[in-house]
Amino acid sequence: MQNAQELHSNSIIFDGLVIAKWNRTLFEDMHRGGLTAANCTVSVWEGFQETVNNIVEFNNFFQHDSDLIIPVTKTSDIALAKELGKTGIILGFQNANAFEDQIGYVEIFKKLGVGVVQMAYNTQNLVGTGCYERDGGLSGFGREIVAEMNRVGIMCDLSHVGPQTSIEVIEASTKPVCYSHCLPLGLKEHPRNKSDEELKFIADKNGFIGVTMFAPFLKNGIDSTVDDYVEAMDYVIDLVGEDCVGIGTDFTQGHDQHFFDMLTHDKGYARRLTQFGKIVNPLGIRTLGEFPNLTATMLKHSWSEQKIRKVMGENWVNVLQDVWGE
């Protein structure tokens, strides 16, 4: 039996959703936490041009911080990142907004390195409906977008998507889809949390569930600890098994109040959708640099080495392999 430190350093550590303030300090913290790879948000409310500008910024990071990070466009890049002791970066969207009304933009963004796209962020867009308003389901255009994402190899993410739109994406997609960062409604009532039925449905259709540690959605709110997070993961695993569950921290590390104001307003400027209050990550894993504490806590909760390896990263790699058509 390996100790926690050995197990962490020998495992693939994958974070299914990080929306932090991108800079060298953050990449250094990823390195400190032994993070092998992460799905990193480069678009929420932005349209095509602004999103391209954000990707240009990341390309500059890949050049200037190449001692810490590498781009990931296929799962072998994740293995390479592990081998090199760097963090692999998958570019991801939390909204299909950047596709605008152009199906051809899907392939363009795939060629720019985008690997995961959420269909809607909290509200209605051209594709479907978010979880904060009356859910009209997947639009006709949305069905074409899902088909195109399947074709080019971009994963459909449903974390902030309304329940009816989610069902219709799951049924329309020929590839596995995911909740990259969610928590169970069974532990806390919240519009962003997913019911047992929703969790079982996505798992039954070969989908994937990334469990978030965003404290407002955890049972004990901002008083939550890393133990509460492991409890939430076990709740999901008890429902769907340990092969389709992983991590999606939803870390917003380094951001200021202005960022949260933008995030919590519809389209970044309109009506306020929600009020998070104080944002603090669970005690024991306040930052990405504290990721090794999660492995130690899983061991403390009597998780087997195999279960830890799978949930920490191997499961994510397997599902991405399928979606990316490798």
Side-chain angles (χ1 to χ4, degrees):
M1 185 77 168
Q2 297 183 84
N3 66 34
Q5 192 176 354
E6 289 170 338
L7 183 56
H8 190 82
S9 63
N10 293 333
S11 300
I12 298 282
I13 310 297
F14 190 100
D15 193 335
L17 198 287
V18 182
I19 182 170
K21 175 76 173 167
W22 308 119
N23 54 36
R24 185 169 178 88
T25 303
L26 191 278
F27 303 141
E28 285 170 347
D29 207 44
M30 284 177 153
H31 181 73
R32 203 172 294 119
L35 205 56
T36 313
N39 167 28
C40 298
T41 300
V42 292
S43 185
V44 182
W45 300 118
E46 293 93 335
F48 179 84
Q49 184 61 61
E50 285 178 281
T51 301
V52 170
N53 294 348
N54 291 344
I55 294 173
V56 168
E57 183 185 33
F58 240 110
N59 282 344
N60 289 332
F61 291 137
F62 288 136
Q63 188 180 335
H64 296 132
D65 301 300
S66 59
D67 57 323
L68 293 169
I69 59 170
I70 64 167
V72 169
T73 56
K74 50 191 184 295
T75 54
S76 58
D77 294 331
I78 298 172
L80 179 63
K82 185 70 185 173
E83 191 184 314
L84 296 174
K86 298 179 183 181
T87 301
I89 304 291
I90 299 161
L91 302 180
F93 299 172
Q94 286 211 56
N95 204 340
N97 216 40
F99 296 150
E100 298 183 353
D101 60 357
Q102 302 294 319
I103 287 171
Y105 287 177
V106 177
E107 186 168 14
I108 294 296
F109 279 119
K110 173 67 177 179
K111 287 177 175 175
L112 292 178
V114 175
V116 182
V117 169
Q118 186 167 245
M119 310 315 291
Y121 187 79
N122 293 339
T123 58
Q124 182 80 44
N125 63 18
L126 295 178
V127 167
T129 315
C131 61
Y132 279 103
E133 59 187 3
R134 187 171 60 85
D135 191 349
L138 188 63
S139 69
F141 176 70
R143 290 181 187 281
E144 294 184 41
I145 289 288
V146 170
E148 182 67 355
M149 286 171 67
N150 287 167
R151 185 185 76 81
V152 305
I154 296 177
M155 189 171 213
C156 299
D157 182 1
L158 303 169
S159 303
H160 288 250
V161 177
Q164 188 57 36
T165 300
S166 294
I167 287 168
E168 292 177 15
V169 171
I170 292 164
E171 289 177 333
S173 181
T174 57
K175 294 280 190 176
V177 304
C178 73
Y179 296 129
S180 69
H181 57 300
C182 74
L183 277 163
L185 201 63
L187 289 178
K188 182 162 187 180
E189 190 78 27
H190 193 283
R192 264 281 281 111
N193 289 353
K194 308 298 180 184
S195 69
D196 290 4
E197 292 70 31
E198 287 175 294
L199 295 169
K200 286 176 184 169
F201 187 72
I202 196 170
D204 288 345
K205 301 286 187 179
N206 298 316
F208 194 85
I209 300 160
V211 183
T212 183
M213 55 181 76
F214 189 66
F217 307 156
L218 280 164
K219 185 177 71 177
N220 292 321
I222 59 166
D223 297 319
S224 297
T225 67
V226 66
D227 291 280
D228 294 314
Y229 177 61
V230 172
E231 179 196 8
M233 297 199 91
D234 266 327
Y235 182 100
V236 176
I237 289 166
D238 287 344
L239 276 177
V240 302
E242 63 185 51
D243 293 334
C244 62
V245 176
I247 293 158
T249 63
D250 201 13
F251 269 8
T252 52
Q253 201 167 321
H255 280 302
D256 58 14
Q257 191 56 47
H258 173 75
F259 172 79
F260 291 106
D261 287 343
M262 177 275 296
L263 212 57
T264 55
H265 281 77
D266 193 7
K267 313 297 181 278
Y269 66 87
R271 63 196 163 95
R272 179 179 283 284
L273 300 167
T274 187
Q275 189 97 39
F276 289 137
K278 185 180 179 185
I279 305 285
V280 57
N281 297 321
L283 184 66
I285 187 161
R286 297 279 200 227
T287 69
L288 291 163
E290 292 186 285
F291 241 102
N293 292 349
L294 180 54
T295 304
T297 306
M298 288 171 168
L299 278 173
K300 189 179 83 175
H301 283 254
S302 302
W303 282 33
S304 68
E305 280 188 17
Q306 185 189 30
K307 180 178 174 182
I308 293 171
R309 286 181 187 278
K310 286 199 282 190
V311 172
M312 271 301 207
E314 288 175 7
N315 289 343
W316 263 121
V317 174
N318 290 340
V319 75
L320 288 172
Q321 209 162 28
D322 190 353
V323 173
W324 292 349
E326 295 173 12

